[in-house]
Amino acid sequence: FIFCLVPLVAQADSGAMTPRQIYKTAGKAVVLVFATDGSAQGSAGTGSIITEDGQIITNAHVVAKEGRPYKRLFVYLKPDKLEGSMADDLKKRYEAKLVDIDHKLDLALLKMKNPPPGLATIPFVDPKSVEIGEPVVAIGHPETAGLWTLTTGHISSVVKNFQGVTGKDVFQTEASINRG
């Protein structure tokens, strides 16, 4: 997720936190989102918890297929220690509902049903404060590389109104960001 990178830039830029420290702090606010119409098949991707009451931002394409939202949404919270096994690492599952979706921006807002207390969150920062050359950390779930992976890099470009979509401002990064 490109938007997961932005809040981490401000933390990493201060020089006070290493990627490992950022991972330990922000990793708990990164979720795996699974969307389905009731079968074992569906769509999966990364989301970020943005409020303590369980609001999550993710990509619209994760929770909708061909413009139609999936019927059931689940989010998985990061365990305290990853074991490298889906059976062990995906035990903290919560249902979620779709609150809003913007297909042009490829963003969706979810809300966890009955979230646990004390959720970690990732705050938004002013994107105008992000500059080329700043260090970034990406935490997510690439489809072929595992759960709660970490990659680092730097902002290499800023693109306003990406693909001609007003408000779809993105940051290019040299950090390896894979599908998922």
Side-chain angles (χ1 to χ4, degrees):
F1 272 6
I2 297 302
F3 59 83
C4 285
L5 296 172
V6 176
L8 300 177
V9 169
Q11 293 176 354
D13 188 47
S14 70
M17 295 180 78
T18 65
R20 181 179 178 188
Q21 292 167 324
I22 293 170
Y23 183 82
K24 286 183 174 238
T25 303
K28 289 189 176 290
V30 176
V31 299
L32 173 66
V33 177
F34 181 68
T36 181
D37 280 331
S39 70
Q41 300 294 315
S43 174
T46 304
S48 297
I49 302 171
I50 57 172
T51 64
E52 289 181 15
D53 66 346
Q55 289 188 10
I56 297 166
I57 193 160
T58 189
N59 289 111
H61 70 263
V62 171
V63 298
K65 184 177 183 179
E66 298 174 359
R68 289 190 1 245
Y70 284 95
K71 293 177 184 173
R72 297 195 69 195
L73 303 174
F74 299 96
V75 296
Y76 295 85
L77 301 181
K78 184 180 175 298
D80 291 332
K81 179 164 177 29
L82 288 172
E83 299 295 332
S85 158
M86 285 196 171
D88 293 328
D89 294 337
L90 297 178
K91 289 183 178 178
K92 296 182 180 179
R93 182 176 93 163
Y94 293 85
E95 283 195 63
K97 66 178 181 174
L98 180 64
V99 175
D100 202 1
I101 193 165
D102 187 318
H103 294 284
K104 286 185 180 181
L105 293 177
D106 192 23
L107 292 175
L109 180 66
L110 311 180
K111 174 77 169 75
M112 291 173 68
K113 296 179 182 179
N114 304 311
L119 287 173
T121 63
I122 294 180
F124 285 100
V125 297
D126 181 355
K128 293 177 182 168
S129 69
V130 177
E131 295 183 17
I132 294 173
E134 289 191 72
V136 293
V137 174
I139 302 168
H141 310 284
E143 65 185 4
T144 59
L147 302 171
W148 287 278
T149 63
L150 171 74
T151 187
T152 63
H154 293 84
I155 298 291
S156 56
S157 178
V158 177
V159 182
K160 186 168 183 70
N161 300 325
F162 182 67
Q163 298 175 328
V165 178
T166 301
K168 191 172 186 177
D169 303 337
V170 300
F171 303 100
Q172 180 182 8
T173 175
E174 68 188 14
S176 179
I177 308 287
N178 298 307
R179 242 180 98 80

